[in-house]
Amino acid sequence: MAAAKTRTSTFSRNLSTAAPSHGPGLKCGPNGTVFLSSGIPDLDKILGGGFPLGSLVMVMEDAEAPHHMLLLRNFMAQGLVLGQHLLYSSPARDPRGFLGTLPSPAASKDDKSRERDPDQEKGLRIAWQYKKYFGENQLDGQRDGKHEYSNEFDLRKPLERHFINGPRIDCVSIQDCPDLSTLRDRCATFLSQFPRNDGSISCAGRIAIQSFCAPQRAYSNMEWDMLSFIRSLKSMVRSSNSVAIITFPPSLLSPSFCKRWQHMADTLLSVKAIQDEDKELAQLLTGYQDMVGFLNVHKVARINTQVY
Amino acid sequence: MNQRSSNLLDEALGLDQVIEPWPLRGRVVAIEDQVDTSGSFVLHHLLKRSLSPNSSNVAIFIAFSQPFSHYDRILRKLGCNLVSQRDNSRFFFFDMLKLQCPGITPEGGLIALYGKIHKTISALPEISWKNVSIIIDDLSLMEVAANGSSDYVLDFLQYCRTLTSEFDCSLITLNHEDIYSNEDRPTFLIQMEYLADILIKAEPLATGLATDVHGQLTVSNKGWNKVSNFHFKVKENVVECFYPGRSRG
């Protein structure tokens, strides 16, 4: 027990500039950014903490495989489990149906024996090449507080009903939107709940837009309208405490517009399927049989900084 | 202070000597980058140089890409306080993040923007006229704001170019080269490259990603008939530039 020290100087620490405490699922990062988890702890590590609030994440889909859905599921489930709000939009007629496929957090490791049986691997893990360059302690750090920020998810178990039926979720079907202004307005209303100011953040929001591409009724200036929508979404997200993720099929865009979309993203990811029975890959990669696809990180958000 | 490390870039632009007049005065500088290699650090560096304490320069920053807080934090680490520069009327920040031209005609929006710039410069004391830098981040987003009417954007840039002769200011723009290189007729890019007196291209290395080298810069200075090429590494408070094969310039 330290004895109380009498002050010997007139300088005292300005406690009001200490980092404000934030709501659940949020973590302070460098340069005044606050992160929320992608729902995949390995991906959070690769990205340097998670997705920064105010950023736009874009995911380039693989036309031959639905792996982007895995990213979305984990992203959405993570938000719901931690009490964050969610706006989900998809081309399906009834987007709510997708919520039934969200995974539940995996059982805590304390409940089972310490021995992890590799055959029981049920969550989405990311095996990345440079993992071996990190010290063991860095990888396994902070297990105690982890569940307040991110969870491992069990893709075989559906998320409990009460998470999905809560008031914190809103769904929009693109089919119901005659043009993008409806979707833009829904996003604006949603984001108005989390205005950004200097202070502690009580609640954060997540927007997930799946397979954003030209709706059935395409018209001549459509490509520019979609770009305009993304730009306005990005600027709305920038001034709020939320993260938006948009997945899109690059094959449906002209190469020039595809590049424009890529430049719009703060964080740019792409997913690619791995062929079964590829002998060359099997020799190159350990654990090839367990792998379902490649995740490429093309760009990492640089908010308030010019370095990664 | 940090003069040594950025010498190659400053040298290529004539900024390594503290001379009057400001070497970029009356010139158009076009920065081009790609998804893999961002060129915004060049913009930050030029902004810092234009607001250096030795000069009486004024910077007008037209931001389509990021809010003020983003640039403020970055420039602070580079040793430049944008808030106090703004308070001293040396830095003007035009936040265009929410400019939406469908509401007003693309032409109307850009004409209004030009008017605002002209008014701001005219309102300055005459002695400052010759030392104004207009910085645009970035042109591809200006096209989006104009709803695809690239012709209006080009007209706007031509008008800004008249300012470089009328008031002797410098125009510094950032654009993304890989958007246009995929088009059949990359008119916009070619026009911009034609307009530019100095072209700075940020590209990835041919060998791919590396921790020690973030990319390469090619500076084509038409006024001096000189082309420089070197590697760079971006850090929090400085950009290190060095010739290929060496670690420090």
Side-chain angles (χ1 to χ4, degrees), chain A residues 36 38 43 47 50-60 71-72 75 207-209 230 233-234 237-238 242-248 261-262 264-270 295 299-301:
Chain A
L36 52 71
S38 62
L43 182 58
L47 294 176
F51 295 139
L53 289 185
S55 69
L56 174 66
V57 181
M58 296 190 71
V59 181
M60 298 193 281
L71 289 180
L72 279 176
F75 176 75
I207 294 185
I209 300 180
I230 297 174
L233 175 64
K234 183 176 173 182
V237 166
R238 207 28 131 249
S242 56
V243 172
I245 198 171
I246 302 182
T247 76
F248 68 97
W261 286 39
Q262 291 176 27
M264 282 283 192
D266 293 308
T267 302
L268 180 66
L269 309 172
S270 70
L295 173 73
K299 212 160 80 151
V300 176

Side-chain angles (χ1 to χ4, degrees), chain A residues 30-33 184 221 224-225 227-228 231-232 234-236 238-239 255-257 259-260 262-264 266 268 298-299 302-308, chain B residues 33-35 38 41 44 64 66-67 69-70 73-74 77-78 96-100 140-141 143-145 147-148 176 178-180 182-183 234-236:
Chain A
N31 304 314
T33 49
R184 192 200 319 253
N221 218 26
W224 287 104
D225 280 352
L227 208 45
S228 185
R231 179 176 167 251
S232 63
K234 183 176 173 182
S235 81
M236 289 194 285
R238 207 28 131 249
S239 51
S256 166
F257 272 90
K259 279 293 172 192
R260 285 187 189 270
Q262 291 176 27
H263 276 287
M264 282 283 192
D266 293 308
L268 180 66
H298 298 273
K299 212 160 80 151
R302 276 171 301 174
I303 296 186
N304 296 341
T305 177
Q306 61 180 16
V307 299
Y308 286 124
Chain B
D33 70 0
Q34 308 181 1
V35 174
S38 167
F41 71 93
H44 305 147
F64 284 91
Q66 306 281 1
S69 52
H70 171 88
R73 272 192 187 256
I74 294 176
K77 280 179 225 151
L78 293 177
M96 312 299 295
L97 257 66
K98 295 202 164 69
L99 173 70
Q100 277 294 113
S140 68
L141 291 175
E143 280 185 290
V144 178
N147 225 25
H176 307 304
D178 49 0
I179 291 176
Y180 306 94
N182 285 312
E183 283 176 355
V234 183
K235 290 178 154 177
E236 289 278 9

Side-chain angles (χ1 to χ4, degrees), chain A residues 6-243:
Chain A
T6 48
R7 293 211 178 282
T8 50
S9 82
T10 51
F11 291 104
S12 56
R13 190 184 185 91
N14 187 356
L15 287 170
S16 63
T17 58
S21 62
H22 297 302
L26 299 171
K27 161 166 102 168
C28 287
N31 304 314
T33 49
V34 178
F35 290 114
L36 52 71
S37 171
S38 62
I40 305 168
D42 289 331
L43 182 58
D44 288 345
K45 279 191 210 109
I46 294 173
L47 294 176
F51 295 139
L53 289 185
S55 69
L56 174 66
V57 181
M58 296 190 71
V59 181
M60 298 193 281
E61 302 171 8
D62 182 351
E64 290 164 20
H67 298 320
H68 57 280
M69 309 292 269
L70 288 170
L71 289 180
L72 279 176
R73 283 198 187 97
N74 281 268
F75 176 75
M76 291 164 64
Q78 183 68 81
L80 294 175
V81 155
L82 292 171
Q84 292 164 350
H85 294 236
L86 174 68
L87 175 68
Y88 170 61
S89 162
S90 91
R93 187 151 286 287
D94 181 25
R96 283 217 162 245
F98 181 65
L99 300 179
T101 67
L102 295 183
S104 184
S108 161
K109 291 189 172 52
D110 299 327
D111 296 346
K112 316 184 298 191
S113 72
R114 287 280 158 193
E115 290 273 322
R116 264 178 64 204
D117 186 355
D119 291 341
Q120 293 291 319
E121 204 64 70
K122 41 190 157 11
L124 183 65
R125 294 298 315 269
I126 298 186
W128 45 301
Q129 256 184 301
Y130 303 104
K131 205 169 184 170
K132 64 182 188 236
Y133 293 106
F134 284 80
E136 265 312 306
N137 43 352
Q138 228 176 323
L139 274 183
D140 298 332
Q142 293 147 12
R143 283 258 170 232
D144 320 301
K146 259 182 90 81
H147 292 303
E148 291 173 5
Y149 179 70
S150 71
N151 295 75
E152 301 267 0
F153 285 94
D154 184 348
L155 294 166
R156 301 172 307 183
K157 251 176 71 185
L159 193 58
E160 287 158 47
R161 284 271 123 199
H162 70 92
F163 284 120
I164 299 174
N165 295 331
R168 294 200 202 102
I169 307 186
D170 198 7
C171 290
V172 183
S173 164
I174 302 258
Q175 292 194 29
D176 294 337
C177 301
D179 58 41
L180 291 168
S181 58
T182 323
L183 182 59
R184 192 200 319 253
D185 294 338
R186 292 289 285 273
C187 291
T189 321
F190 177 78
L191 291 170
S192 61
Q193 302 172 78
F194 325 103
R196 179 177 289 214
N197 45 37
D198 299 321
S200 62
I201 304 167
S202 53
C203 197
R206 295 174 185 235
I207 294 185
I209 300 180
Q210 180 211 316
S211 299
F212 187 60
C213 57
Q216 256 56 3
R217 305 163 282 284
Y219 51 90
S220 55
N221 218 26
M222 174 58 85
E223 286 186 308
W224 287 104
D225 280 352
M226 295 179 77
L227 208 45
S228 185
F229 168 82
I230 297 174
R231 179 176 167 251
S232 63
L233 175 64
K234 183 176 173 182
S235 81
M236 289 194 285
V237 166
R238 207 28 131 249
S239 51
S240 77
N241 290 320
S242 56
V243 172

Side-chain angles (χ1 to χ4, degrees), chain B residues 54-81:
Chain B
N54 301 328
S55 71
S56 52
N57 280 359
V58 167
I60 299 178
F61 199 97
I62 303 167
F64 284 91
S65 178
Q66 306 281 1
F68 178 77
S69 52
H70 171 88
Y71 300 105
D72 181 33
R73 272 192 187 256
I74 294 176
L75 268 290
R76 238 188 279 164
K77 280 179 225 151
L78 293 177
C80 177
N81 189 334

Side-chain angles (χ1 to χ4, degrees), chain B residues 10-177:
Chain B
D10 291 329
E11 256 176 49
L13 298 171
L15 296 174
D16 49 334
Q17 296 126 22
V18 181
I19 48 171
E20 287 289 321
W22 164 246
L24 296 183
R25 189 202 287 180
R27 321 288 296 286
V28 176
V29 181
I31 306 166
E32 290 178 0
D33 70 0
Q34 308 181 1
V35 174
D36 301 325
T37 312
S38 167
S40 18
F41 71 93
V42 183
L43 209 67
H44 305 147
H45 180 80
L46 290 179
L47 175 58
K48 177 194 166 180
R49 284 279 181 258
S50 76
L51 290 174
S52 75
N54 301 328
S55 71
S56 52
N57 280 359
V58 167
I60 299 178
F61 199 97
I62 303 167
F64 284 91
S65 178
Q66 306 281 1
F68 178 77
S69 52
H70 171 88
Y71 300 105
D72 181 33
R73 272 192 187 256
I74 294 176
L75 268 290
R76 238 188 279 164
K77 280 179 225 151
L78 293 177
C80 177
N81 189 334
L82 288 183
V83 174
S84 66
Q85 300 281 17
R86 186 178 55 178
D87 295 339
N88 294 337
S89 297
R90 285 195 64 200
F91 180 69
F92 296 88
F93 188 82
F94 292 0
D95 186 331
M96 312 299 295
L97 257 66
K98 295 202 164 69
L99 173 70
Q100 277 294 113
C101 282
I104 33 178
T105 63
E107 205 180 359
L110 291 177
I111 288 179
L113 176 60
Y114 175 76
K116 202 169 160 194
I117 298 172
H118 196 275
K119 192 167 146 205
T120 308
I121 299 179
S122 311
L124 293 173
E126 206 170 313
I127 197 161
S128 294
W129 282 2
K130 291 194 180 301
N131 294 318
V132 178
S133 305
I134 303 170
I135 306 175
I136 307 180
D137 181 11
D138 63 62
L139 290 182
S140 68
L141 291 175
M142 194 187 270
E143 280 185 290
V144 178
N147 225 25
S149 314
S150 310
D151 292 337
Y152 292 137
V153 180
L154 276 172
D155 288 345
F156 172 84
L157 290 171
Q158 288 283 11
Y159 272 91
C160 284
R161 193 158 172 274
T162 66
L163 293 175
T164 66
S165 36
E166 186 185 344
F167 290 108
D168 239 4
C169 26
S170 46
L171 177 62
I172 302 169
T173 64
L174 173 65
N175 205 352
H176 307 304
E177 183 246 340

